[in-house]
Amino acid sequence: MECGYGPHSYIPLVVVELGKFERKKLKTFQDEHKTLEEEFKHLDPFIKKEALSMDKKNTWEVKSYPIILWWSPLTGETGRLGQCGADNCFFTINRTYQHHPMTKAFLFYGTDFNIDSLPLPREAYHDWALFHEESPKNNYKLFHKPVITLFNYTATFSRHSHLPLTTQYLEGVEVLKSLQYLVPLQSKNNLRKRLAPLVYVQSDCDPPSDRDSYVRELMTYIQVDSYGECLQNKELPQQLKNPASLDAESFYKIIAQYKFILAFENAVCDDYITEKFWRPLKLGVVPVYYGSPSITDWLPSNRSAILVSEFAHPRELASYIRRLDYDDRLYEAYVEWKLKGEISNERLLAALRDRKWGVQDINQDNYIDAFECMVCSNVWDNIRLQEKGLPPKQWKAEVTHLSCPEPTMFAFSSPAPLPLGGHSLREMWIPSFQQSKKEAQALRWLVDRNQNFSSQEFWTLVFKN
């Protein structure tokens, strides 16, 4: 949400407060995930593109190739001729190409998609493509039909997207089968003398999933070691307090000592599954999962995670975990798949096998490469159709490509203490979601009008009714 852009006379408390939150520099891959910048240090995102950077010595001309313009910059490249199979496209963040006759597509990164400036008027041959792997809390208006259907192509966490990123946090089958970090059960039983059965590591507090409320209530029924800033009762070593260290070997070794980990997403959406779920499976820790309602479609085996949704109340969940903690045979049933190296979920295996990108794999394109090339290839397909006198193929995003329900809050007997200001982000997610519906409708009307508009026009329209 661009909550700081409209005139304050139009903006109620929820917008002002969320504006303060959102105006903090939105980080790519926030919420305990590596930033793209850090990932790119590890893996050159264009390593397989055989890219030709633009400089004065180049003899080729831009007008020879379709121009793909990153309107919300993600790659930071001022100009590059990228190769996608037999096709070439010119990728750039330079907005001076907006009206160039060879500009065929505009790429948007969802977290930075805002109403300040859009490439309007939109020509009939201008495709819009959305890349958004993040939580809805980073830009709620995208998750409503009027906005998501503005795009021709999508790459999102939804399996229904044109380029599904559902397994974006999972390197592959082998890391699930690996016993590298597995701590034997007898050792874990001995460690229970000084460790709780459950561990919780979160520093993004009070997100739309309301996970902290649930965990706070759960902690009244069972011991939880909480290392992050949220509900903290245990300290990580100083060198591991930086969120970037959550993929460090030493952090893995700490978490691997536990029997169970609370793996709660920051939002509840079908197919929105992050490292919170995959990391414990890699480490041999049983995830106690809350998040994607479709998670059963992605489990390595039928018994590989404990699903919070199957328990009516935290006290019932606590009772079940205590039972597994005391009974080695029952506990081992949840790690048997890993010990045997058997992944029975054909959907998961097929998704990993068929995806057109890799994770931390220099032998494969990453998902940004794949997104760019999907758009480039489709643009070329339509050019070739038109050269034959045939109508171009029409691509359009559907509401299922990025859809999340309205957030809900747990109504437990242990409410969170209010901060000094008297209200918290927790109280604002539902009003924010409701307001984002109006924002989506206003934005759609303005874009369909196909003229440039000001922030004031947008906010006036949002709060007209």
Side-chain angles (χ1 to χ4, degrees):
M1 294 172 57
E2 303 77 5
C3 304
Y5 298 130
H8 281 208
S9 58
Y10 299 124
I11 305 177
L13 176 65
V14 60
V15 184
V16 174
E17 290 302 317
L18 280 171
K20 293 176 184 174
F21 172 73
E22 296 290 353
R23 278 196 300 271
K24 295 175 183 176
K25 178 59 180 172
L26 286 171
K27 296 178 182 176
T28 309
F29 298 92
Q30 198 176 13
D31 198 27
E32 289 88 37
H33 184 47
K34 290 179 292 185
T35 64
L36 272 174
E37 182 181 356
E38 289 165 332
E39 183 179 342
F40 289 176
K41 287 176 184 175
H42 170 73
L43 176 64
D44 180 352
F46 305 106
I47 196 164
K48 291 197 70 185
K49 288 288 190 85
E50 299 175 11
L52 180 62
S53 296
M54 192 169 181
D55 58 43
K56 294 178 182 178
K57 296 178 183 179
N58 286 336
T59 56
W60 55 271
E61 295 181 0
V62 173
K63 67 182 181 181
S64 305
Y65 304 95
I67 298 170
I68 312 294
L69 175 53
W70 273 101
W71 194 255
S72 346
L74 182 58
T75 65
E77 293 200 300
T78 54
R80 172 181 55 85
L81 186 65
Q83 188 171 349
C84 299
D87 298 322
N88 291 288
C89 288
F90 179 64
F91 297 94
T92 183
I93 63 170
N94 187 343
R95 290 189 177 186
T96 62
Y97 286 103
Q98 177 183 350
H99 301 293
H100 194 288
M102 285 303 289
T103 296
K104 302 295 185 182
F106 294 83
L107 310 186
F108 299 88
Y109 178 52
T111 296
D112 295 331
F113 177 86
N114 61 59
I115 56 92
D116 279 20
S117 59
L118 291 173
L120 297 172
R122 181 179 181 179
E123 304 293 345
Y125 58 87
H126 282 169
D127 286 340
W128 284 14
L130 176 69
F131 181 96
H132 193 51
E133 87 300 358
E134 266 288 8
S135 163
K137 77 187 187 79
N138 283 2
N139 207 334
Y140 260 136
K141 73 173 69 62
L142 293 170
F143 289 75
H144 300 296
K145 185 177 181 179
V147 175
I148 188 61
T149 54
L150 284 171
F151 299 97
N152 302 94
Y153 313 108
T154 62
T156 76
F157 54 74
S158 169
R159 76 184 76 180
H160 304 294
S161 171
H162 293 122
L163 185 73
L165 305 176
T166 318
T167 58
Q168 61 180 306
Y169 294 93
L170 180 59
E171 296 91 332
V173 172
E174 292 311 311
V175 297
L176 291 175
K177 294 181 178 181
S178 172
L179 303 180
Q180 179 181 355
Y181 298 101
L182 183 74
V183 174
L185 181 55
Q186 289 310 310
S187 298
K188 290 191 177 190
N189 284 337
N190 291 332
L191 286 164
R192 280 284 288 107
K193 296 171 185 174
R194 61 179 180 84
L195 298 179
L198 279 161
V199 63
Y200 185 55
V201 188
Q202 290 301 334
S203 293
D204 177 18
C205 306
D206 292 323
S209 64
D210 201 26
R211 61 189 172 201
D212 294 331
S213 295
Y214 191 98
V215 176
R216 184 180 293 106
E217 180 74 10
L218 181 67
M219 290 169 87
T220 64
Y221 301 101
I222 193 168
Q223 186 184 0
V224 178
D225 286 346
S226 182
Y227 288 96
E229 292 179 20
C230 314
L231 308 175
Q232 185 184 57
N233 60 19
K234 199 147 187 169
E235 290 276 345
L236 281 170
Q238 189 62 40
Q239 70 272 19
L240 293 179
K241 291 186 177 179
N242 185 326
S245 67
L246 294 183
D247 278 316
E249 191 100 356
S250 49
F251 177 75
Y252 282 4
K253 288 180 178 177
I254 290 173
I255 301 304
Q257 299 177 100
Y258 287 85
K259 287 186 172 182
F260 307 92
I261 186 169
L262 292 168
F264 282 41
E265 306 289 8
N266 65 29
V268 176
C269 309
D270 277 343
D271 297 340
Y272 178 59
I273 303 164
T274 70
E275 79 289 343
K276 295 171 191 65
F277 177 68
W278 302 116
R279 184 188 290 134
L281 294 176
K282 293 191 284 187
L283 302 180
V285 180
V286 177
V288 179
Y289 184 80
Y290 178 70
S292 170
S294 59
I295 190 64
T296 52
D297 288 345
W298 302 101
L299 298 177
S301 76
N302 288 336
R303 184 162 291 193
S304 49
I306 296 168
L307 306 183
V308 170
S309 59
E310 294 181 353
F311 297 86
H313 191 275
R315 77 170 68 88
E316 294 181 15
L317 174 62
S319 176
Y320 185 70
I321 291 172
R322 273 197 301 272
R323 189 175 154 209
L324 268 58
D325 185 28
Y326 296 141
D327 190 322
D328 287 353
R329 182 180 55 83
L330 292 177
Y331 178 83
E332 283 182 322
Y334 280 91
V335 292
E336 184 179 9
W337 67 273
K338 187 174 184 72
L339 294 171
K340 292 183 176 179
E342 294 177 354
I343 296 177
S344 57
N345 186 340
E346 289 301 324
R347 180 194 300 276
L348 175 60
L349 292 170
L352 292 171
R353 181 180 63 246
D354 298 341
R355 67 187 184 185
K356 296 177 172 62
W357 44 270
V359 178
Q360 298 181 18
D361 184 351
I362 62 172
N363 296 312
Q364 290 182 282
D365 284 349
N366 66 29
Y367 45 35
I368 301 171
D369 293 337
F371 172 63
E372 289 185 339
C373 279
M374 174 184 70
V375 176
C376 176
S377 297
N378 287 332
V379 164
W380 268 110
D381 286 347
N382 277 343
I383 289 173
R384 285 186 277 265
L385 285 172
Q386 288 178 302
E387 286 174 348
K388 295 176 182 176
L390 299 173
K393 184 176 180 181
Q394 299 292 324
W395 291 74
K396 188 175 181 180
E398 304 289 341
V399 69
T400 54
H401 289 204
L402 203 60
S403 179
C404 294
E406 182 172 311
T408 57
M409 292 196 296
F410 294 108
F412 296 132
S413 57
S414 307
L418 287 177
L420 293 176
H423 47 78
S424 70
L425 277 175
R426 177 179 184 264
E427 299 173 302
M428 298 181 189
W429 292 120
I430 294 176
S432 169
F433 183 91
Q434 292 168 342
Q435 179 181 295
S436 70
K437 292 180 183 178
K438 295 181 179 180
E439 292 179 24
Q441 291 166 350
L443 182 61
R444 182 60 187 243
W445 187 87
L446 289 166
V447 172
D448 283 349
R449 190 183 64 174
N450 211 22
Q451 300 173 16
N452 285 314
F453 58 90
S454 67
S455 296
Q456 182 166 340
E457 284 181 89
F458 171 75
W459 290 111
T460 301
L461 198 57
V462 170
F463 296 116
K464 187 170 70 173
N465 298 322

